[in-house]
Amino acid sequence: MANRSPSTKKKSTRSKRIRQRYVYWFGDGTADGDRGMKNLLGGKGANLAEMCNLGVPVPPGFTISTDVCTEYNENNRRYPKGLQEEIEASLKRLEKSLGKGFGDTKNPLLLSVRSGARVSMPGMMDTVLNLGLNDETVTALAERSGNERFAWDAYRRFIQMYGDVVMEVKAKAGEHFDPFTIALESLKKRRNVELDTELSADDLKGLVKKYKKIVRERTGREFPVDPMKQLWGAVNAVFLSWENERAVAYRTMHHIPSNWGTAVTVMAMVFGNMGEDSGTGVAFTRDPASGEKRFYGEYLMNAQGEDVVAGIRTPLSIESLAKSSPKAYAQLFKLQKKLEKHYADMQDLEFTIENGRLFMLQCRIGKRTGFAAVRIAVDMVSERLITKEDAIRRIDPEALDQLLAPIFDPDEQKRARREGLVLTKGLNAGPGAATGRIVFDAGRAEQQVKQGKGPVILVRVETSPEDIRGMQAAVGILTARGGMTSHAALVARQMGKVCVAGAGELDIDYRAKRMTVGETKLKEGDWISLDGTTGELYEGQLKTRSSEVLANLFGKRKKKPVKGSVFHAYQQVMKWSDEFRTMKVRTNADQPDQCDTAIAFGAEGIGLCRTEHMFFEESKIESMRKMIVAETPEDREAALAELAPLQRKDFEGIFKSMGTRPVTIRTLDPPLHEFLPTEPRAIRILAADLGISVAKLKLKIESLHELNPMLGNRGCRLGISYPEITKMQARAIFEAACNVAKRTGKKPRPEIMIPLVGTSRELELQERIIRAVAEEVFEKKKLRIPYLLGTMIELPRAALTASEIAKHAEFFSFGTNDLTQTTYGISRDDAGRFIPIYIDEEVFSADPFARLDREGVGRLMKVACREGRESRPGIKLGICGEHGGEPSSIEFCHQLGLEYVSCSPFRVPIARLAAAQAALAKLPRVE
Amino acid sequence: MANRSPSTKKKSTRSKRIRQRYVYWFGDGTADGDRGMKNLLGGKGANLAEMCNLGVPVPPGFTISTDVCTEYNENNRRYPKGLQEEIEASLKRLEKSLGKGFGDTKNPLLLSVRSGARVSMPGMMDTVLNLGLNDETVTALAERSGNERFAWDAYRRFIQMYGDVVMEVKAKAGEHFDPFTIALESLKKRRNVELDTELSADDLKGLVKKYKKIVRERTGREFPVDPMKQLWGAVNAVFLSWENERAVAYRTMHHIPSNWGTAVTVMAMVFGNMGEDSGTGVAFTRDPASGEKRFYGEYLMNAQGEDVVAGIRTPLSIESLAKSSPKAYAQLFKLQKKLEKHYADMQDLEFTIENGRLFMLQCRIGKRTGFAAVRIAVDMVSERLITKEDAIRRIDPEALDQLLAPIFDPDEQKRARREGLVLTKGLNAGPGAATGRIVFDAGRAEQQVKQGKGPVILVRVETSPEDIRGMQAAVGILTARGGMTSHAALVARQMGKVCVAGAGELDIDYRAKRMTVGETKLKEGDWISLDGTTGELYEGQLKTRSSEVLANLFGKRKKKPVKGSVFHAYQQVMKWSDEFRTMKVRTNADQPDQCDTAIAFGAEGIGLCRTEHMFFEESKIESMRKMIVAETPEDREAALAELAPLQRKDFEGIFKSMGTRPVTIRTLDPPLHEFLPTEPRAIRILAADLGISVAKLKLKIESLHELNPMLGNRGCRLGISYPEITKMQARAIFEAACNVAKRTGKKPRPEIMIPLVGTSRELELQERIIRAVAEEVFEKKKLRIPYLLGTMIELPRAALTASEIAKHAEFFSFGTNDLTQTTYGISRDDAGRFIPIYIDEEVFSADPFARLDREGVGRLMKVACREGRESRPGIKLGICGEHGGEPSSIEFCHQLGLEYVSCSPFRVPIARLAAAQAALAKLPRVE
């Protein structure tokens, strides 16, 4: 699956070059590379070169290209010929540039060795600082700097990092820290100090001795004293770290091909730990959390890079730098403005101040929250830094989720993590934050909420349609089984509920109303908190708050959005999206309140109204069950007669909400047994209600049991086996449409959709019934409602015979959930067991139920679009599977020329943005 | 689905003609039609014309074409213009030819009015004899014939038939007979006679009076006296009968389009009831049951057609006619020889002798059993009546089933039917006859047989792989659920077991070891008999005998086939089939004895060896279960190590049986939970064996439960999740091949097949494992075995990405069972509920699991063949789904250019013949 798979242009470039070049210089205001060469130099190398070209102060150095990494790892860990010479030449140039010597005992050159891949992989690979120190050069460093303590601090840091990264001296099993940290801490304790800056030069000398002893004991080797050996060791280690477990896992997760490789940047050291006029820090040109336009950062004086992150000393806010080092701050402030303007995007910067002199060590496009992404993009447009098109292109549509979901108070969440209250992690199936009391049963969830016993979280092994009302009552849903498109996840997203699905570590005992997670035992009524954005499950109550966008969209008093607010930015992005996109966006909804929500989110119609959800409501389930267990057509029709007025009322509600927007209604789809109870008690009650024996009812339930219900008696197979069901539904739709038209003066636009069609004859049979009912109702009501009649394309055979099917279908709606299931032969409910393995083994580049498979499923869609159009020019085409809310899939739908995508209400904004991006990408039409 | 759909040339012919002709004359040695005009004149009309042209004595008459029927039924029951004139003209010609007048009171012409469709639809439509009689013409008939009794007998027959067919005087609800029969029987009782021939002319006069009163009372109308009115009434009735329920049902069953229509033949009456020198009969030119070359028939003197069939008087064998009417017999004998020679096929004849003079009323190609079909075809080749090609073309391959299956003694079966011992009817899933004692549990079946408690029939709601050994032990399998390709049916056919599947009326109570069918209650140990050829279930023991072909193929002493025997004919047909066919025929087998059977049937290799069946054997199931519940890869490998030598032994047995024939072995396919026990007792035993708690084992079984196992963790998904399984299987295959090669000097030809591949990467991962194991084994054994590695194409996605998959596959084998399931989204195990409705509603023209769907599934096969070949020229293509044994599907496979089909051993002969027919048909290649 090559969806959006990044190009691998490298190879062709390589083959064109006659003599390969491996090492690229930067420094002294000139560089061999620039920001366009990320593929070869990695993000870090390319941006260092770019900054150099811009005249930004950067310590000089050179970058070893990603090609070397690839060749090294593919060629049995042997370096390409000529590399050594190039490195030695660059090193000479560096020595000359700085007037220092690598390993020189008078004026030693020290280096940092850092990794840098094409895209940022934070924390995945290794870095070595202060390289080039040994017992002799450390003395020279002390003398030259006039700061003995600094020199030995740099030396002990070097041994610690090199020991860890290159020589692999790590914490042993059972140890909580590596031996270097243990030695450092024990020394601090002995000296009775808190910070390592409080240790004296002599302390550090002793520590270096101790460190070298550790290396000897742990590795059986001496710590290398030859700087060139040190350098090669570090370069090896960085290249090898491309293949370490963390890095491989990260690449898999982010679909990064392993043949991209990492570059290695070797740079002259500058020192933030040279005293109180030195320091180091990180900064963002805008607030990466809120997007606010303010210079934002943290720093530490007398420190090296890792200290800022380590959290032992609390870093200071960047504003205070203005007071302590006004000159450096002024320079830094000017530089960050320059870099943001140059890159026309928010930058993430690393800097070091050495004896008051500022150096930039890194710049890159800053990661940001969804909030920040939207706000920054909108602000930059009004600042004329970027165009509207740029703004739309650059926001990850998925990030909008964050703007809509209720959120946990971030501080509270930090606290909980610190206190070890994170119990487990499942799939982040429904974004948002929810806190409530555990309930293991859907009926009980409803009851608890009705009785005002506070918010509940429904915890199930997996959910079924029976649980719908309980899910509606709950603030969050937690399941032990099922994937991103499991019943729980699907319904939760449609309802906008927080959901963590497939948390495999849960051990649920329904009978005892208890569950175990690891060591923790919880029972009904206990408080838990779900973060549906991260998939985390917390013990106890975490405070949540409603997001700003939701508060504004659904607040009672509509206020004009305040400029600079998240809501204003959201509105702006949506407005621009609507300008650019050519596909319409509909929603999957089956209740008036869902319709209202979807309209607020910008839905232009309903693409999928599942009629079965309506039947699970208390008022209907009983008649539904009577209908199912009916022995004769007469009994069945009697039960259907009870349902008819209720169903008509449902449709009236929906038509009223949707006005003249199109409403696609799917006739009954799921296997009938889903409507029957499974619990002995519920069976007893139903039997009594129906006036039949429990044994007989059980027999009926048993007779409806199917080995593979997904492939069983469902969809239009029901409507063909029991035409009276289709008749009742058609009548309810047309009567409701007529009634609403009379009441409101606006004619609803029903589009009736037949599910699970595999042959044109099935559609023909259902069409006959529906058109006859329509004529009858229109006659009686003395009113005609224009309507469409079409079908889902959700079986391979439907796509393959689309030409025949189109003769009876005024529209096709691709049901890509089922189409993916049947094309792959994978049940999405059972896929949880092997999909993770398939992603690890690179069988899938993504879960095909989340991201549309273009080669297989997409090919069938292509066939159906082409042949459907040939057979019925102008046939209306849309999609109503879950993929309709997923950006890559939306792009493909745009390429197919679909008229609309349809998705759950809370994904409508995402779909609007993704559709705009697809239109802006100007990709070739798929035909 | 238009597979083999008959051409509808009629319309185009019709539009070409300027003036439509509706009525076609035959008689006086000349005719407007001939045997080539069946589409227009029906089979009866065309053959009467042909006989006329041949000079065969036929009563003159005319045929109203099928066009009239179509127009009549399509055009609101109005006849086309000009029809009346044509009929009147023909009637005039008839009167002139015979010198009689229609309605003439001196010398009346009497007519028969009969239906006749393009293909014979026996008993489906209506006939009226003796038309033209009324109170006046009857007197004339009596005078002219000098036989008053005959005339009144004809009259009462006429009123009875016309009353029934045209005026619809039928038995009312609660009555066992129609009122005419009741009146006749009560008269016979009063007269104290047994046969109607014993009634006097006066008796019959009284009866006619009574009959007319019945008509008046029942219909409120007088019986029509005007012969022309009678004629139109009868013609109407025949055309209307094309649309009666019986006829529609028959057409649906036999895929006959309703727009074919029926013709009506109006013919002068000749009378077999004119006295003791008159008579009527039916005859076959050869024995339709055995195929023996002997004139075969039955007749009655002084009788009309319907008497022969009615069974009140016992008809006489045709030989006795030679004695009673030597002249007529001699003429008949000569004529039947002439007609058989002319048609070059066995004929079914109707004749009447009127006062010693012979008339032929009908001739048509005679229906025959499978035995007769084979024998007649072979005999006719040696008689030089037809060519070998004709012989091959004319035998329905399915009919060969009868030659192979054990059979019930036909007399015994008749008796059982008469005595009401037929309990119900299911699907004829495994042909043959079996009698045994009911057992409801597979384990118990095995045990009973081991203990010599006689033959058993395994009765299950449905079977599962756990039941395999019980099925092997049983003589027959009866299930309440499941279709023609359910587990029970599939395994039964592979084993050659008798099977009746999906007998929905069975109500089985496993606990009480009882079942109920309608009113009959049966318990374990009771005798039942299964006719797998008809699907009938009998109470009690019916005698069976082994078929001649099987007795000869598998008898201990191989005898040269006796010429004229069924076995000889079978051998001849198989030899000719092999001459003509271009596709190879392989078998689906997984045990050495199945291999031997298949080879005897002519299999040229194994197309599908399911390795999972092996694991259900007692020696292996325990290790298999250990493997499944293993918590660590180490435990799993330990369990696999136990299985390895056993599996190797299995393969050795198969390779030894198959010699140098190719053997396609599929790696493990079914979901693992199928191997685990489901009964509490079995679970307890297994838990004890494994040394784990029952609770833990139950949890494990529960965790393997899948909602849709068909789409779950199975096929190559297992081999990718647990590579050690694939490794073990590959090792067993290669070691076995090497061992057998060393022992026998012949190198086996393994072809390893990976199931359920949906992406090329899956195949690539499994390929790596297998090729590595192969190299390792060959190295160790110092021997190389040439082998192929390929995949099933059984998922739509596999077909759609065949081009990529072919890069790793040396062959494709179409698994059309699963491909049909996923293309249609239908589980074959659950389809029983709606497939009958779908066939009734003409959604399916045939069960797609039995006959390959060319539009959908076939299109995917076409894509896979084309793109697979483009990607890997010369790729080997075959089929191993159940369709590989079904003639229409085999034809399609031939058109796709597959190298082989593979089917269960007992279908190999059918496939050989069908493949020959496909080759002879010279159909265009599907590309």
Side-chain angles (χ1 to χ4, degrees), chain B residues 486-553:
Chain B
S486 62
H487 179 265
L490 195 145
V491 173
R493 279 204 294 280
Q494 175 156 331
M495 290 180 174
K497 293 280 171 193
V498 175
C499 176
V500 170
E505 282 184 64
L506 296 191
D507 197 355
I508 300 175
D509 182 344
Y510 284 139
R511 253 211 332 217
K513 298 187 183 173
R514 282 174 186 287
M515 69 171 181
T516 317
V517 203
E519 304 290 304
T520 311
K521 287 180 198 314
L522 295 164
K523 59 180 192 309
E524 185 181 276
D526 286 349
W527 284 91
I528 52 173
S529 299
L530 291 184
D531 189 333
T533 314
T534 63
E536 281 165 324
L537 166 65
Y538 297 89
E539 192 177 351
Q541 286 176 269
L542 264 67
K543 268 184 224 144
T544 63
R545 52 184 173 88
S546 172
S547 82
E548 186 194 319
V549 171
L550 281 194
N552 275 282
L553 280 176

Side-chain angles (χ1 to χ4, degrees), chain B residues 106-119:
Chain B
K106 294 276 150 56
N107 191 7
L109 168 64
L110 301 191
L111 300 174
S112 75
V113 177
R114 311 175 94 161
S115 66
R118 206 186 276 202
V119 292

Side-chain angles (χ1 to χ4, degrees), chain B residues 29-275:
Chain B
T30 132
D32 297 338
D34 59 39
R35 67 166 161 171
M37 291 165 72
K38 274 187 191 167
N39 293 0
L40 204 61
L41 304 182
K44 190 178 282 137
N47 285 329
L48 282 166
E50 184 80 6
M51 285 196 285
C52 223
N53 292 332
L54 283 174
V56 173
V58 162
F62 53 87
T63 299
I64 309 169
S65 78
T66 57
D67 280 353
V68 177
C69 178
T70 311
E71 290 196 28
Y72 180 69
N73 281 311
E74 278 178 2
N75 203 8
N76 244 331
R77 301 196 173 158
R78 282 216 311 263
Y79 287 111
K81 252 177 77 177
L83 176 67
Q84 197 179 339
E85 292 71 18
E86 281 193 58
I87 288 179
E88 281 166 5
S90 299
L91 206 49
K92 285 245 152 62
R93 182 166 174 189
L94 195 53
E95 288 174 325
K96 210 176 143 197
S97 159
L98 295 169
K100 296 180 178 183
F102 189 50
D104 191 281
T105 52
K106 294 276 150 56
N107 191 7
L109 168 64
L110 301 191
L111 300 174
S112 75
V113 177
R114 311 175 94 161
S115 66
R118 206 186 276 202
V119 292
S120 161
M121 293 170 58
M124 290 303 123
M125 287 173 302
D126 296 321
T127 292
V128 178
L129 302 182
N130 307 324
L131 189 139
L133 283 173
N134 55 31
D135 290 353
E136 291 172 7
T137 52
V138 73
T139 317
L141 183 64
E143 274 169 27
R144 296 291 300 193
S145 65
N147 186 340
E148 191 179 22
R149 194 205 159 279
F150 149 70
W152 285 93
D153 185 47
Y155 195 16
R156 71 94 190 162
R157 285 173 189 268
F158 170 52
I159 300 176
Q160 185 164 1
M161 285 182 110
Y162 194 94
D164 170 24
V165 168
V166 184
M167 305 188 77
E168 300 200 332
V169 178
K170 311 266 180 191
K172 280 188 192 166
E175 292 176 352
H176 284 94
F177 299 100
D178 65 273
F180 303 118
T181 307
I182 292 168
L184 174 63
E185 291 307 311
S186 104
L187 177 63
K188 274 157 68 179
K189 211 165 174 184
R190 264 180 285 134
R191 294 289 176 267
N192 199 21
V193 300
E194 212 176 311
L195 300 175
D196 49 317
T197 46
E198 296 172 82
L199 293 171
S200 71
D202 282 345
D203 286 340
L204 294 167
K205 279 184 195 169
L207 199 58
V208 162
K209 223 171 184 169
K210 174 77 185 160
Y211 276 10
K212 290 205 275 192
K213 193 171 159 225
I214 289 171
V215 168
R216 200 179 311 121
E217 283 174 4
R218 283 290 179 101
T219 69
R221 286 175 295 153
E222 289 295 330
F223 190 84
V225 292
D226 175 3
M228 274 313 283
K229 264 200 188 148
Q230 292 174 354
L231 178 59
W232 281 106
V235 170
N236 285 349
V238 173
F239 282 141
L240 284 173
S241 72
W242 177 254
E243 298 289 347
N244 76 26
E245 245 176 72
R246 266 177 318 173
V248 170
Y250 186 92
R251 286 204 298 273
T252 305
M253 205 156 50
H254 291 86
H255 317 308
I256 299 171
S258 70
N259 70 354
W260 278 7
T262 182
V264 176
T265 293
V266 177
M267 194 161 62
M269 280 299 300
V270 286
F271 298 97
N273 57 342
M274 225 180 229

Side-chain angles (χ1 to χ4, degrees), chain A residues 1 462 481 702-713 716-717 720-721 759 761-762 765 795-797 800-801 821-827 829-830 833-834 837-838 841-844 853 855-856 859-860 863 866-867, chain B residues 1 462 481 702-713 716-717 720-721 759 761-762 765 795-797 800-801 821-827 829-830 833-834 837-838 841-844 853 855-856 859-860 863 866-867:
Chain A
M1 294 196 299
E462 51 202 336
R481 276 205 218 136
E702 170 60 18
S703 83
L704 286 172
H705 169 78
E706 294 182 307
L707 293 175
N708 295 284
M710 191 59 70
L711 307 175
N713 200 4
C716 69
R717 295 162 198 169
I720 289 168
S721 302
T759 68
R761 175 72 176 161
E762 289 167 308
L765 290 169
L795 294 175
R797 200 176 186 284
L800 293 163
T801 60
Q821 293 197 94
T822 44
T823 304
Y824 273 98
I826 293 179
S827 153
D829 291 323
D830 301 311
R833 233 182 297 270
F834 57 86
I837 298 172
Y838 266 41
E841 293 284 356
E842 299 184 15
V843 174
F844 295 154
D853 155 45
E855 278 72 30
R859 181 168 177 184
L860 287 173
V863 166
R866 186 181 56 224
E867 299 181 12
Chain B
M1 295 198 296
E462 50 201 337
R481 275 205 218 136
E702 170 60 19
S703 82
L704 285 171
H705 169 77
E706 293 182 307
L707 293 175
N708 295 283
M710 191 59 70
L711 307 176
N713 199 3
C716 69
R717 294 161 199 170
I720 289 167
S721 303
T759 67
R761 174 74 177 162
E762 289 168 307
L765 289 169
L795 294 174
R797 199 174 188 285
L800 294 163
T801 58
Q821 293 197 95
T822 44
T823 304
Y824 274 99
I826 293 178
S827 152
D829 290 322
D830 301 311
R833 234 182 296 269
F834 58 87
I837 298 172
Y838 267 40
E841 293 284 357
E842 299 185 15
V843 175
F844 295 154
D853 155 45
E855 279 71 30
R859 181 167 178 184
L860 287 174
V863 166
R866 187 181 55 225
E867 299 182 10

Side-chain angles (χ1 to χ4, degrees), chain A residues 323-377:
Chain A
K323 284 171 207 151
S324 61
S325 313
K327 226 178 91 184
Y329 180 81
Q331 194 188 357
L332 179 61
F333 190 81
K334 232 172 92 185
L335 276 178
Q336 64 92 10
K337 281 198 97 161
K338 178 175 180 165
L339 286 168
E340 185 183 89
K341 198 174 168 193
H342 179 70
Y343 282 98
D345 204 347
M346 186 266 269
Q347 295 298 299
D348 168 354
L349 309 168
E350 264 181 48
F351 62 91
T352 285
I353 302 168
E354 189 186 80
N355 297 133
R357 192 169 156 206
L358 178 71
F359 292 94
M360 301 304 294
L361 301 187
Q362 160 138 304
C363 83
R364 61 184 169 192
I365 294 185
K367 306 244 180 227
R368 63 204 78 180
T369 66
F371 298 97
V374 169
R375 177 144 174 207
I376 290 171

